[in-house]
Amino acid sequence: MRILPSFRSLLFAFVVLAISAASFAQVSISIRIGPPALPVYEQPLCPAEGYIWTPGYWAYDYDYGDYYWVPGTWVLAPEPGYLWTPGYWGWGGDRFLFHEGYWGPRVGFYGGINYGFGYFGNGYEGGRWDHDLFFYNRSVNNVNVTNIHNVYNTTVINNTTVNRISYNGGDGGINARPTHEEEAVERQRHIPPVGAQTQHLQAARANPELRASANHGRPPVAATPRPGAFNDRGVVPAKEAGAPYHPEANRAAEQPRGNSSVPRPGNNVPRPPAPSHAKDLAPHPRPAPPNTGNPKQDQRYQQQQEKLYAKQQQEHQRLQQKQEQDHQRMAQQRANEARNQQMEQRHQQQTQQLEQRHVQQQQHLQERQQPANRNQSKPPR
């Protein structure tokens, strides 16, 4: 007889979950209005060799019904010879969809969007690989030649009409279509955004100041020297918005369609959980085994990766437990709304700082594990 109540509880929970899942599948949300114009900002200094510029872009937050700015940043290339194809927004016939960026040996189609800094709508003019060394074109990149010697100067003639439009197609969008070569690139082997980029996106989504309705198209953090380094002294604010922004129109862009059979856009739009608390943070992916060609070196590198991974997991769990204890204490004390709000703000700040610190730790470890031949100078082809 004691088993029956537990069984009923489990059955009730299962029914509730099933109803929730069915309701979720029947609701579709379409983004009818394109993202704001690209803000005007400068590029921070390249932090070290092997970093490649990834331009900033507007992502969308379904929970707030608002676009938010993902700052441009320098990212360590996942493999020598790989370049970044930026993501872009494109009109899909009845809504705007986000096409995620990727790493690959060649740059593919990114909507004809002029992101600047070498990404002028077609290809990449910011640098090139020569074996395991990346050479930077100083005419479009901010590089300190005292620290980075792999540079060259090639003037880029940009025939693209100068504008700040941030999407392809639709009303007022860029009118560009992929070439046969770009279509071929899209079918080749790709590497999705690395973990540092995903965490960079999450940190941007958690920052209310980066929402378009708050900054009116002029984000206070437009670019960072490294992923997630939003408090670094090298952070660059936007000089101005790319065009007048009307948040009311964009907030009205999301309209639920009850009982609609159209699927909700999934992978087309970046939508990580908002990390307001440690429990909301997406788990860090376990690092992939290194493959340098040297088994002993690979073993040592993997041990370093696993050690950092375990340390970060422990820090994550400790912060989560501490925040849960705070909630329990406030509930016992029957704290007023002001105290609860202060606690929530403190938790959000703690969570963002933890995530940013973890991103920087992973970046620094990846830098140390780069092949030694990156420090050898070779003339560009």
Side-chain angles (χ1 to χ4, degrees), residues 69-268:
W69 179 250
V70 181
T73 191
W74 291 96
V75 177
L76 197 60
E79 292 184 19
Y82 272 54
L83 300 169
W84 175 247
T85 296
Y88 71 96
W89 288 94
W91 180 248
D94 63 345
R95 61 189 174 189
F96 284 96
L97 303 176
F98 186 77
H99 302 260
E100 190 174 63
Y102 55 85
W103 295 93
R106 298 167 61 193
V107 175
F109 183 68
Y110 50 92
I113 311 300
N114 186 351
Y115 287 110
F117 310 113
Y119 299 96
F120 299 120
N122 185 355
Y124 179 56
E125 304 290 343
R128 57 176 178 260
W129 287 95
D130 183 6
H131 300 288
D132 292 338
L133 288 176
F134 187 78
F135 285 79
Y136 299 85
N137 185 357
R138 291 190 62 202
S139 69
V140 295
N141 277 317
N142 188 6
V143 179
N144 185 346
V145 294
T146 303
N147 301 324
I148 300 177
H149 306 291
N150 309 325
V151 297
Y152 64 95
N153 275 290
T154 298
T155 302
V156 178
I157 301 175
N158 183 14
N159 294 321
T160 306
T161 302
V162 178
N163 58 55
R164 312 299 298 178
I165 298 173
S166 61
Y167 56 92
N168 177 282
D171 186 13
I174 298 293
N175 184 18
R177 296 293 179 268
T179 63
H180 293 299
E181 291 78 9
E182 289 171 330
E183 290 177 341
V185 169
E186 193 171 357
R187 293 191 293 267
Q188 294 173 355
R189 176 177 174 261
H190 298 153
I191 293 179
V194 296
Q197 290 174 281
T198 302
Q199 292 161 7
H200 183 73
L201 171 70
Q202 292 172 346
R205 186 175 186 263
N207 190 334
E209 294 182 344
L210 295 182
R211 295 173 195 156
S213 58
N215 58 55
H216 301 281
R218 185 184 177 183
V221 179
T224 66
R226 284 185 172 90
F230 288 10
N231 297 318
D232 191 282
R233 62 181 180 180
V235 162
V236 175
K239 290 183 176 180
E240 58 182 290
Y245 175 69
H246 304 287
E248 300 82 9
N250 283 69
R251 279 191 172 277
E254 288 279 289
Q255 296 295 334
R257 300 176 184 176
N259 300 323
S260 173
S261 60
V262 180
R264 180 184 182 124
N267 295 333
N268 291 319

Side-chain angles (χ1 to χ4, degrees), residues 326-335 340:
D326 288 346
H327 280 282
Q328 294 172 3
R329 186 174 64 256
M330 286 294 185
Q332 292 172 356
Q333 297 175 358
R334 297 183 179 180
N340 279 318

